[in-house]
Amino acid sequence: MTKTNPGRFFEDYQPGEVIPHAVPRTVGAGERALYHALYPARHALASSDEFARACGLPAAPLDDLAAFHVVFGKTVPDISLNALANLGYAEGRWLRPVWPGDTLSATSEVIGLKQNSNGKSGVVWVRTEGRNQKDEVVLDYVRWVMVRKRETGGDAPAPVIPELKPALAAGDLVIPEGLDFTGYDFALAGEPHRWGDYAPGEVIDHVDGVTIEEAEHMMATRLWQNTAKVHFDATAREGGRRLIYGGHVISLARALSFNGLANAQMIAGLNGGAHANPCFAGDTVRAWSEVLDRAETAAPGVGALRLRLVATKGGAPGELRDADGKYLPDVLLDLDYWALVPT
Amino acid sequence: MTKTNPGRFFEDYQPGEVIPHAVPRTVGAGERALYHALYPARHALASSDEFARACGLPAAPLDDLAAFHVVFGKTVPDISLNALANLGYAEGRWLRPVWPGDTLSATSEVIGLKQNSNGKSGVVWVRTEGRNQKDEVVLDYVRWVMVRKRETGGDAPAPVIPELKPALAAGDLVIPEGLDFTGYDFALAGEPHRWGDYAPGEVIDHVDGVTIEEAEHMMATRLWQNTAKVHFDATAREGGRRLIYGGHVISLARALSFNGLANAQMIAGLNGGAHANPCFAGDTVRAWSEVLDRAETAAPGVGALRLRLVATKGGAPGELRDADGKYLPDVLLDLDYWALVPT
Amino acid sequence: MTKTNPGRFFEDYQPGEVIPHAVPRTVGAGERALYHALYPARHALASSDEFARACGLPAAPLDDLAAFHVVFGKTVPDISLNALANLGYAEGRWLRPVWPGDTLSATSEVIGLKQNSNGKSGVVWVRTEGRNQKDEVVLDYVRWVMVRKRETGGDAPAPVIPELKPALAAGDLVIPEGLDFTGYDFALAGEPHRWGDYAPGEVIDHVDGVTIEEAEHMMATRLWQNTAKVHFDATAREGGRRLIYGGHVISLARALSFNGLANAQMIAGLNGGAHANPCFAGDTVRAWSEVLDRAETAAPGVGALRLRLVATKGGAPGELRDADGKYLPDVLLDLDYWALVPT
């Protein structure tokens, strides 16, 4: 019997099954510092305990995407070790901030299955929950992946396709307890633009670019305990290039978006996302955003902006797809999320 | 209206204006560990809580240069985003140690202005203060930069040239409260050399060399939230090489100086400094020091040494300028500072 | 008088001399995070405070190898600055976990000396102890190195060859106070294999590979304050390649061994080890283990496995030596250690 984990194949998933993921993880001051070293992160709420306290929180939470990456990383050995493609995200919600000292663990429920017509693979949908040491859910989201079958052919299971919202409604968002932007300090945050200054349809060029190194994306991906071999093993792909974890590009683009969206302090919802093209070391990543929607929230001084965040390695802001609706070759990421912004 | 920060141009500075810089930052155990991973830092006072306590401090402070970099980084979007050159430093003083958990913010006062005769740029002098969460100044220093004008020509403002000390006097230095080197453990610190063992004129070869990687200087510069694009974007310069943040070279040289100056435990003053030549990944950095002056202080067992710290990518210790007084091409840094040393 | 440390030569060691090493070091949350960023570490006990508490410990200790590296790093300036080769390890014991906030220091006693017949070098054996701020020994081990003589020839000192155990007996191991695996959660740990599932002779292929970057091994080695110039200075060796610190390969292999040995939670003893061939950036490191022995311990639910951990840059699991007993050229590390595993 081999003792190593071969990963699950399409045949190994059953609708309704709840998979507990291994290796809980305590996060803290070290992860915060590394997040700032690996990404040009400047949003004040995750940078300063004092700024966070002035916004009604007890301290600066871990960056929302760092929480996402830790939870996501736990799912990799059970969900995507044999994945051929990471197809999408939906209904992601940040339910509670993650504080330094918290210990995160994760479970995933299989909510959909559909074998591909080629008989070689299938699509698996899971809803993943990340929990803290008090067993409170801090984050949940749906993702679906294309997974290899162990054996080609055979009877396909009855397809189960989950109904997923194309986007969360503003009312679906959970605002962190205590969050209050009525005394928000725009000068300390870095930009004067309020929620009402952003209009749907507006495109923001985040201007700056970052050229990625192999050491950086590997350190990030390891920090999240994501073990997918394509990110680390130069011999795993033709040409000897390591494929960069899609989440690294998400964090990079989000950090770059500070320049124009410095007040989009927290991520509250993930509506969807596509890793449009692979990213490799040497690529210079830029980002632009499009304002998709605006909504009020019940929290004092807190509005929500629905934003499209696009990471590219070329091309102009606003350019996303070709005439056939296909992503342009320089587009790396197309992410649709809700951010919390002072009104 | 664009929402991104275009940076200030020469015309945007007024003498006497105080500019509050954005994005306060809480520092702690993570920054300390990263500082030790990015630089070969070994000075015992910033390495060990126990050693620091034996020297009268409540714990190991953050490395003095880490505090400088965090404060400096905050100023970049307002002071040097459109800078053509970082011309100099003066009158830098470390007024209070920075402790893990402190939150730093920064303001700069414009103290000088002089348009260049070409009408395309000008020199701006600022005095920057870094403060902790108790609004105590932890650090102040003057720097001056050459900044692009928005439009060429036009009337030049009346020049204002600040009077700056060529060097701080020993009496200008502020010794951290409680610092006491009377029970100093030279064996634990790593070298037997006391303050009195260093004579003005003495040149110390720090021997070791470190070859710099792109990932390292970018992680460091991001950690300080320094956003200047030349440090990150390989497409921003001809030849595709990123310009290394001058402060990275300062920290590298200071860490290398342990070998011969292991007891120069704290930096108390910055008299001046020049980034003599640019530094790029692949350069192997070495350092040498020259003892410039010696002074007593009022603190028990604590003397001050004024030191020239030179970083190079070649050449012999002591070689600094050519016959015309120009820095030799292999000289990267010429820094003049005061360090606190046991007597 | 030069003020820099020239390192000790063979003539400078006396049997029985105890050498206190410099630069105590406080470790904590930052080192823990960096350890996880630099190595694909996933063993749950060092990853999660909650998991560690469920195993009877007050919190997650620092990774056992991180503790080793910090102690080892302190010895470098006194033991191996002029070493020609790191020849071996023996009798290594982890006596107490290292907790975040602990300050480590180290001393070494010279326990053996033997001049080589060429008169140019000799072998020095030292027993190193790492201590925490309470002066408790956390780790001790023997290593021996070949050190250059200051001057060729001269009378050789009387050889002193220490008697060293070829391997620690299970009874020599010290189990951390309170460790209790009776309520061990195999699902959270990541694998179902218990102590009794491992049979002597069994070979486990850990499957995954990691391609090493210069920035990573230098950051790791600096974090341990290991100053040996061959690891940092590309000009120090022909061909411009930096030699990777052997301990970096140990940590990499141990982290990779999670896949098949996820329940080998703690390292309790180091029986021996050889850095069989040098490792350089660009190498893709893989690992395999061989179960050498099995023993019970007095701690509840805790068994011990003696394991051979081999790191390679090629070749098949189980392949170690050629017909003449020489390590195969692709073998980087052959380590013999005791791990604690739930029964």
Side-chain angles (χ1 to χ4, degrees):
Chain A
M1 185 196 77
T2 177
K3 288 198 165 67
T4 51
N5 175 19
R8 284 172 174 240
F9 293 88
F10 180 73
E11 296 93 326
D12 301 327
Y13 296 95
Q14 304 299 330
E17 182 188 5
V18 174
I19 303 170
H21 303 299
V23 190
R25 171 102 178 124
T26 304
V27 293
E31 282 73 16
R32 184 195 286 179
L34 269 163
Y35 198 84
H36 283 86
L38 292 164
Y39 308 108
R42 298 187 73 221
H43 288 94
L45 198 74
S47 175
S48 163
D49 284 344
E50 301 299 318
F51 191 94
R53 279 175 201 132
C55 295
L57 302 182
L62 198 67
D63 191 285
D64 301 308
L65 288 173
F68 175 81
H69 296 318
V70 171
V71 171
F72 184 98
K74 314 242 140 297
T75 71
V76 167
D78 300 309
I79 307 299
S80 43
L81 211 62
N82 297 311
L84 298 163
N86 199 16
L87 297 172
Y89 307 99
E91 299 184 6
R93 294 181 309 163
W94 279 257
L95 301 166
R96 267 177 196 78
V98 173
W99 309 107
D102 277 2
T103 299
L104 301 181
S105 57
T107 56
S108 294
E109 182 181 356
V110 180
I111 60 166
L113 276 180
K114 183 174 178 299
Q115 184 165 315
N116 287 332
S117 54
N118 63 12
K120 294 183 180 171
S121 58
V123 178
V124 179
W125 284 259
V126 294
R127 185 181 301 275
T128 296
E129 287 184 348
R131 291 170 182 271
N132 64 21
Q133 68 283 3
K134 298 178 199 163
D135 209 34
E136 298 166 336
V137 182
V138 297
L139 172 70
D140 67 3
Y141 65 92
V142 172
R143 78 163 166 144
W144 53 108
V145 291
M146 190 187 301
V147 181
R148 218 173 267 131
K149 288 193 67 182
R150 185 175 283 108
E151 290 173 31
T152 300
D155 285 348
V160 178
I161 315 273
E163 264 188 63
L164 297 171
K165 299 180 186 179
L168 294 169
D172 293 329
L173 305 178
V174 175
I175 313 295
E177 197 183 319
L179 192 71
D180 180 344
F181 282 160
T182 52
Y184 190 90
D185 187 329
F186 289 85
L188 273 186
E191 290 184 350
H193 322 303
R194 292 165 178 277
W195 174 80
D197 296 331
Y198 293 90
E202 180 178 359
V203 169
I204 301 159
D205 177 4
H206 300 305
V207 179
D208 304 307
V210 171
T211 309
I212 303 182
E213 298 294 313
E214 298 279 15
E216 293 166 352
H217 77 82
M218 291 199 295
M219 286 184 67
T221 308
R222 269 192 293 255
L223 187 60
W224 320 129
Q225 298 180 308
N226 178 331
T227 60
K229 79 164 68 167
V230 289
H231 306 319
F232 300 105
D233 182 345
T235 69
R237 292 172 62 86
E238 274 184 72
R241 296 201 300 175
R242 280 149 273 184
L243 180 68
I244 292 177
Y245 163 50
H248 190 65
V249 178
I250 296 177
S251 277
L252 197 46
R254 160 75 177 155
L256 288 169
S257 79
F258 177 91
N259 204 345
L261 282 166
N263 296 318
Q265 290 288 356
M266 301 191 88
I267 300 184
L270 177 63
N271 299 310
H275 299 290
N277 286 289
C279 183
F280 297 100
D283 287 349
T284 298
V285 176
R286 290 183 162 70
W288 56 268
S289 293
E290 180 186 353
V291 181
L292 298 177
D293 200 0
R294 248 181 7 190
E296 296 184 352
T297 83
V302 180
L305 287 181
R306 187 179 159 201
L307 297 158
R308 176 198 300 281
L309 173 62
V310 177
T312 71
K313 52 177 180 167
E319 296 178 356
L320 190 64
R321 294 172 187 273
D322 65 16
D324 299 328
K326 230 187 119 192
Y327 283 114
L328 293 169
D330 281 344
V331 171
L332 302 171
L333 171 76
D334 178 14
L335 197 82
D336 179 340
Y337 73 104
W338 282 103
L340 303 181
V341 183
T343 55
Chain B
M1 184 197 78
T2 178
K3 288 200 165 64
T4 51
N5 175 21
R8 285 172 175 237
F9 294 88
F10 180 72
E11 296 91 328
D12 300 327
Y13 295 95
Q14 303 299 329
E17 182 188 4
V18 174
I19 304 171
H21 303 300
V23 191
R25 171 103 179 121
T26 304
V27 293
E31 282 73 16
R32 183 195 286 181
L34 269 163
Y35 198 84
H36 283 86
L38 291 163
Y39 308 109
R42 299 187 73 220
H43 287 94
L45 198 73
S47 174
S48 163
D49 284 344
E50 301 299 318
F51 191 94
R53 279 176 201 130
C55 295
L57 302 182
L62 198 67
D63 191 284
D64 302 307
L65 288 173
F68 175 81
H69 296 319
V70 171
V71 171
F72 184 99
K74 312 244 140 298
T75 71
V76 167
D78 299 309
I79 307 299
S80 45
L81 211 62
N82 297 312
L84 298 162
N86 200 14
L87 298 173
Y89 307 99
E91 299 184 6
R93 292 182 311 162
W94 279 257
L95 301 167
R96 267 177 196 78
V98 174
W99 309 108
D102 277 1
T103 299
L104 301 181
S105 57
T107 57
S108 294
E109 182 182 355
V110 180
I111 60 166
L113 277 180
K114 182 175 179 300
Q115 185 165 315
N116 287 332
S117 53
N118 64 12
K120 293 182 180 172
S121 58
V123 178
V124 179
W125 284 259
V126 294
R127 185 181 301 274
T128 296
E129 287 185 346
R131 289 169 184 272
N132 65 19
Q133 69 282 1
K134 298 179 199 162
D135 208 35
E136 297 166 337
V137 181
V138 296
L139 173 69
D140 67 4
Y141 64 91
V142 172
R143 78 162 164 143
W144 53 108
V145 291
M146 191 186 301
V147 181
R148 219 172 268 132
K149 288 195 67 181
R150 185 176 282 106
E151 290 173 32
T152 300
D155 284 347
V160 177
I161 316 274
E163 262 188 65
L164 296 172
K165 298 181 186 179
L168 294 169
D172 294 329
L173 305 179
V174 175
I175 312 297
E177 197 183 320
L179 191 71
D180 179 344
F181 282 160
T182 52
Y184 191 90
D185 187 329
F186 288 85
L188 273 185
E191 292 184 348
H193 323 303
R194 295 165 178 275
W195 174 81
D197 296 331
Y198 292 90
E202 181 177 357
V203 169
I204 302 158
D205 178 4
H206 301 305
V207 179
D208 304 307
V210 171
T211 308
I212 303 182
E213 297 295 311
E214 297 278 17
E216 294 165 352
H217 77 81
M218 291 199 295
M219 288 184 67
T221 308
R222 271 194 291 257
L223 186 61
W224 320 130
Q225 297 181 308
N226 178 331
T227 60
K229 78 164 67 167
V230 289
H231 306 319
F232 301 105
D233 182 346
T235 71
R237 290 172 63 86
E238 276 183 73
R241 296 201 300 174
R242 280 149 274 182
L243 181 68
I244 292 177
Y245 162 49
H248 191 65
V249 178
I250 296 177
S251 277
L252 197 45
R254 159 75 176 154
L256 287 169
S257 79
F258 177 90
N259 203 346
L261 283 166
N263 296 318
Q265 290 288 357
M266 302 192 86
I267 299 184
L270 177 63
N271 299 309
H275 300 290
N277 286 288
C279 182
F280 297 100
D283 287 348
T284 298
V285 176
R286 289 184 164 70
W288 55 269
S289 292
E290 180 186 353
V291 181
L292 298 177
D293 200 0
R294 246 178 13 188
E296 296 183 353
T297 82
V302 180
L305 287 182
R306 186 177 160 204
L307 297 159
R308 176 197 301 282
L309 173 62
V310 176
T312 70
K313 52 176 180 166
E319 296 178 357
L320 189 65
R321 297 175 186 269
D322 65 16
D324 299 329
K326 232 186 118 194
Y327 283 114
L328 293 168
D330 281 344
V331 172
L332 302 171
L333 171 76
D334 178 13
L335 197 81
D336 179 341
Y337 73 104
W338 281 104
L340 303 181
V341 182
T343 54
Chain C
M1 184 195 78
T2 179
K3 289 200 165 65
T4 50
N5 175 19
R8 285 172 175 238
F9 293 87
F10 181 72
E11 295 92 328
D12 301 326
Y13 297 95
Q14 303 298 330
E17 182 187 4
V18 175
I19 303 170
H21 302 300
V23 190
R25 170 101 178 126
T26 304
V27 293
E31 282 72 16
R32 183 195 286 180
L34 269 163
Y35 198 85
H36 284 86
L38 291 164
Y39 308 108
R42 300 187 72 221
H43 288 94
L45 198 73
S47 175
S48 164
D49 284 345
E50 301 298 317
F51 191 94
R53 279 176 201 131
C55 294
L57 302 182
L62 198 68
D63 191 284
D64 301 310
L65 287 174
F68 175 80
H69 296 319
V70 171
V71 171
F72 184 98
K74 312 244 139 298
T75 71
V76 167
D78 300 310
I79 306 300
S80 45
L81 210 63
N82 297 312
L84 298 162
N86 200 14
L87 297 172
Y89 306 99
E91 299 184 5
R93 295 182 308 164
W94 278 257
L95 300 167
R96 268 176 195 79
V98 174
W99 309 107
D102 277 1
T103 299
L104 301 182
S105 56
T107 56
S108 294
E109 182 183 355
V110 180
I111 61 166
L113 276 180
K114 182 174 179 300
Q115 185 166 313
N116 287 332
S117 54
N118 63 13
K120 293 182 182 171
S121 58
V123 178
V124 179
W125 284 260
V126 294
R127 184 180 303 274
T128 296
E129 287 185 347
R131 289 170 184 271
N132 64 20
Q133 69 281 3
K134 299 178 199 162
D135 208 35
E136 297 166 336
V137 181
V138 296
L139 172 70
D140 66 4
Y141 64 92
V142 172
R143 78 161 163 146
W144 54 106
V145 291
M146 191 187 299
V147 182
R148 218 173 269 132
K149 288 194 65 181
R150 184 175 283 109
E151 290 173 34
T152 301
D155 284 348
V160 178
I161 316 274
E163 263 189 64
L164 297 171
K165 298 179 185 179
L168 294 168
D172 294 329
L173 305 178
V174 175
I175 313 296
E177 196 183 320
L179 191 71
D180 180 343
F181 282 161
T182 53
Y184 191 90
D185 187 328
F186 288 85
L188 275 185
E191 291 183 348
H193 323 304
R194 294 165 178 275
W195 174 80
D197 297 330
Y198 293 90
E202 180 178 359
V203 169
I204 303 159
D205 178 4
H206 301 304
V207 179
D208 304 306
V210 171
T211 309
I212 302 182
E213 298 295 313
E214 297 278 16
E216 293 166 353
H217 77 81
M218 289 199 295
M219 288 184 66
T221 309
R222 270 192 292 257
L223 187 61
W224 319 129
Q225 298 180 306
N226 178 331
T227 60
K229 77 164 69 166
V230 288
H231 306 320
F232 301 105
D233 182 346
T235 68
R237 288 172 64 87
E238 273 184 73
R241 297 201 300 175
R242 279 149 275 183
L243 181 68
I244 292 177
Y245 163 50
H248 190 66
V249 178
I250 296 177
S251 277
L252 197 45
R254 159 75 176 156
L256 288 169
S257 79
F258 176 90
N259 204 345
L261 282 167
N263 297 317
Q265 291 289 356
M266 303 192 85
I267 300 184
L270 176 64
N271 299 309
H275 300 289
N277 285 290
C279 183
F280 298 100
D283 287 348
T284 298
V285 176
R286 290 184 162 71
W288 56 269
S289 293
E290 179 185 353
V291 181
L292 298 177
D293 199 359
R294 249 181 7 191
E296 296 182 351
T297 83
V302 180
L305 286 181
R306 187 179 159 199
L307 297 159
R308 176 197 300 282
L309 173 62
V310 176
T312 69
K313 52 176 182 168
E319 295 178 357
L320 189 65
R321 296 174 186 270
D322 64 17
D324 298 328
K326 232 187 117 192
Y327 283 114
L328 293 168
D330 281 345
V331 172
L332 302 171
L333 171 76
D334 178 12
L335 197 80
D336 179 340
Y337 73 103
W338 281 103
L340 304 181
V341 183
T343 55

